[in-house]
Structure formats: C-alpha cells, structure tokens
Amino acid sequence: MKTSATPVKGTAAASAGTGSARDESTRDRVARSILTNGPSSAAVLAERLELTPAAVRRHLDHLLDEGLVESREERVYGPRGRGRPAKVFVLTDSGRHAFHQAYDDLAATALQFIAEAGGEEAVAEFARRRAVEVGQRYRELIDAAPESDKAEALAQALTGDGYAASTAVKGQGTQLCQHHCPVAHVAEQFPQLCEAETEVFATLLGRHVQRLATIAHGDGVCTTHIPGPAVNSASPVSSVSDGESARTAR
C-alpha cells in the first residue's frame, strides 16, 4: 500500500507547537544573557549563545516588539576610539519584570511614610542600616578571600542575593557590575538605597569606590569602580553609619 507523503494534520500542528516552544526557549536565553551579562550587541550574543547572527537578530526583533528590550549606543568609559559606538541591547522595566523582580508597592509606600514622618535623613538612616545588615552577611566571605580576590568575592555574594554580579579589570582598577537589581524601582524613588550600598562596598573592600551607573537611574548595569588592588578593611561594617571614610564613597 502506498504511503502518503503529506504529514498528518495533528503531527504538523504538534511540530509547529514544538517550534514555537523552541523559539520561546531560545528567546528566553537571549533575554537572560542580557540580564546576566549586561548590555550586549547582537554579535556578542550570537557568539555567547552559539547562535547565528540572523537568529539572534530575529529574537531581538521579537523582544523589541514586545517592549522587553531596547537598543542604545554602547556607553564607553574612558577614551573613545574611532567610529560610532556599537549598538547594544538592554532589558526594559517590563523585561526585568519577566524575571520576577523582587520588590512591591508596599516597600515604596513604607519608605514614603518614613520620609514624610522623619524626613530624608530618616530614609538615609534606614538605607544605611539595611545595607549594613547585608554587609555583615558578606563580611566573612570577603575577609576569607585573598586581597586580589575580594572584589570577586563581593560579586559572588551579590549574585547569591539575586544581583547577577561580575567583575572586570579596567585600567588600574576593577569594575563591579550588577546586571540585575531586585529593588530597582524602589531605588529609583529613593536613591539613598544605592548610596548606602556604595558605602558598604567601600567598607567591605577597604577603599574608596565610585558608583558610575545604576539600573535605578536608567543604566543597563549598576557599575562600581574599585581603584587599584583591593585591600582588607580593618573597620567593622557597622562603622558605615558613623565612619567618615565610608561616607567618601558617596
């Protein structure tokens, strides 16, 4: 009996469904790669994910249409080379929501109440206390790391708390990059959270650090510059509330 070469309708539908699921899975990989690694060009994404440039562009177009990513010129720190900056893709607020961003309206409402009842300094003190508590959890891990690895130890601790952090050598220092911020929307309204976090980084690493960019202010990545080799801090994390040296990190 002669077998028909025409696929069964149900089989064709199942195949289409499988293809759609595969596309969604790959699209999720593209978006997650941007979340984890920060602003990325189509060429970098293709190499990182071992996909063809055409496939990456197709998925990026879909993410752009859905408002989950946006394109912008690559931000260059330091001297800029010749030619136009590369186009990179970053997650939008909606894109970050897709990764279950851990903040809610209650936190913003509570901080607004603190601001109204006690003023901006009360919010700053709350932010410092919260950051100090986080720093105390990180202290043992960072103190146990060799001097040259303290920034990386901090990045690992931050990653454990959902910040998808990494480090990169830049000139005479290190850049600590947080590719995700679980409290970005709250920090957008209350930058004291970012300031207190920077102070604790300075105390943990034992040096003045400089915040170059924050997700809360619209940047693709929270970037902190750590000049020179990291050195151990002799002062406890709790000194951030009173220590003048930690305040220089602002």
Side-chain angles (χ1 to χ4, degrees):
M1 184 171 65
K2 191 173 181 180
T3 303
S4 172
T6 304
V8 178
K9 183 176 181 181
T11 304
S15 177
T18 302
S20 176
R22 188 182 301 114
D23 276 351
E24 290 181 5
S25 175
T26 304
R27 199 163 295 137
D28 180 74
R29 288 177 61 209
V30 172
R32 188 172 296 276
S33 180
I34 296 172
L35 170 71
T36 303
N37 298 281
S40 305
S41 67
V44 168
L45 285 166
E47 181 178 357
R48 186 187 298 148
L49 299 174
E50 298 182 348
L51 298 170
T52 65
V56 167
R57 283 193 292 270
R58 178 166 59 85
H59 289 300
L60 286 171
D61 286 342
H62 188 93
L63 292 168
L64 284 165
D65 289 342
E66 290 191 340
L68 300 178
V69 302
E70 61 183 11
S71 64
R72 61 176 62 165
E73 288 188 348
E74 183 177 20
R75 178 169 294 182
V76 178
Y77 299 102
R80 174 176 291 182
R82 294 182 178 180
R84 297 183 60 184
K87 178 188 290 186
V88 295
F89 297 86
V90 301
L91 289 182
T92 62
D93 287 342
S94 296
R96 293 183 186 282
H97 277 307
F99 290 97
H100 310 292
Q101 197 157 350
Y103 75 93
D104 56 32
D105 291 339
L106 180 61
T109 301
L111 281 172
Q112 185 61 47
F113 174 81
I114 292 174
E116 293 173 357
E120 294 300 314
E121 182 53 37
V123 175
E125 180 60 24
F126 169 83
R128 283 194 290 268
R129 290 189 182 186
R130 176 185 177 277
V132 164
E133 290 175 0
V134 172
Q136 287 172 338
R137 289 196 289 106
Y138 296 172
R139 168 63 75 184
E140 184 176 356
L141 176 66
I142 293 171
D143 281 354
E147 300 299 331
S148 59
D149 294 338
K150 291 189 183 297
E152 179 59 30
L154 176 56
Q156 292 176 7
L158 288 165
T159 296
D161 277 349
Y163 288 87
S166 64
T167 60
V169 176
K170 296 290 183 181
Q172 297 300 311
T174 301
Q175 281 190 359
L176 172 68
C177 297
Q178 295 158 257
H179 303 286
H180 182 57
C181 177
V183 295
H185 275 68
V186 181
E188 182 179 353
Q189 300 176 57
F190 299 96
Q192 295 94 329
L193 295 173
C194 298
E195 294 166 4
E197 181 183 72
T198 307
E199 291 179 353
V200 168
F201 288 174
T203 302
L204 288 171
L205 299 173
R207 14 188 358 98
H208 170 83
V209 302
Q210 181 181 8
R211 184 60 63 91
L212 302 178
T214 63
I215 292 171
H217 290 161
D219 299 296
V221 179
C222 293
T223 306
T224 305
H225 181 67
I226 306 167
V231 297
N232 191 23
S233 172
S235 59
V237 175
S238 59
S239 67
V240 169
S241 296
D242 306 309
E244 199 58 35
S245 61
R247 293 183 186 277
T248 61
R250 286 189 173 183

